[in-house]
Amino acid sequence: MGKKSDVILGFDIGGTGLKAALIDLDRGKLATDKQRILTPQPSSPKAVAKAIKEMLKEYSGYKGPIGCGFPSIMRKGVARSAANIEKAWIGTDVEALFEKETGHKFYVANDADVAGLAEMKFGAGKDADGTVIVLTIGTGIGSGTFLDGELFPNTEFGHLLYKDNIYEHHVSNAARKRLDLSWDEWGERFNTYLNHLEKLFSPDLFILGGGASKKMEQYQHKFTIGTKVVAAKFQNDSGVMGAAMYAKSRMKKK
């Protein structure tokens, strides 16, 4: 009889949507179809916690821990920023809140950091050495930064200052839609952002994930940087996969 697969439930909490799936960590792939609902508006702690509890009805037989990517600087399960969610999250113990609402043990980390974990283990960053920057392009711009495979958490490079605001307000996928930019126009903007990151950090590889990574062939011809740029292997699935991986890594440390 074969070894039972290591399956953990992963959640990806975003400013636009909440996603969840059971993840087969031995094979590095989704074990179930991904469930997705819109993020409650307003995205208060109480409303999001209730939405997660409702989504868990799809996994009534699952009794294990849950990994969760969350759009915030995270320190020991507590949210320290709130760029694309309600400001009420700042100072909230997210792990404790979700555990109280659902009865499940939660392990919560920055959403781009966990997406990066999946890409570095099983995806476009597998076996990559040096400095790798994973950028998730969605409602905002998330960043997961790795040196020789080790995560440097909570970098939030989408919040670097640019003109009168921060970069993610100019180059996120939400900004592209809001300003009705063509892929060429948006690609030129994103190229400016990549050039800035290249000058600051001299990375060996950029991995682009999130919703906009699905259309990379539409804009990559606008990139003029010397650093290699590739699309994330798992695109919008990186978040739920990496969240499950993060839960497993936290459990090992106990």
Side-chain angles (χ1 to χ4, degrees), residues 29-69:
K29 65 179 186 179
L30 273 62
T32 60
D33 289 338
K34 186 171 60 179
Q35 181 187 180
R36 187 184 189 279
I37 65 170
L38 293 176
T39 302
Q41 298 301 328
S43 54
S44 67
K46 183 177 181 180
V48 172
K50 285 191 172 182
I52 288 174
K53 184 177 181 180
E54 187 67 21
M55 291 176 76
L56 280 170
K57 291 179 181 178
E58 292 290 322
Y59 312 99
S60 57
Y62 182 78
K63 305 301 180 184
I66 297 173
C68 181

Side-chain angles (χ1 to χ4, degrees), residues 14-16 71 83-85 111-112 135-143 156-159 166-175 178 186 190 193 209-212:
T16 303
N84 296 300
I85 49 176
D111 54 349
L135 299 171
T136 55
I137 311 165
T139 308
I141 298 286
S143 59
E156 294 284 20
F157 292 153
H159 295 173
I166 57 177
Y167 263 105
E168 73 174 24
H169 290 172
H170 294 269
V171 301
S172 66
N173 202 32
R178 184 182 73 248
W186 182 81
F190 205 83
Y193 176 51

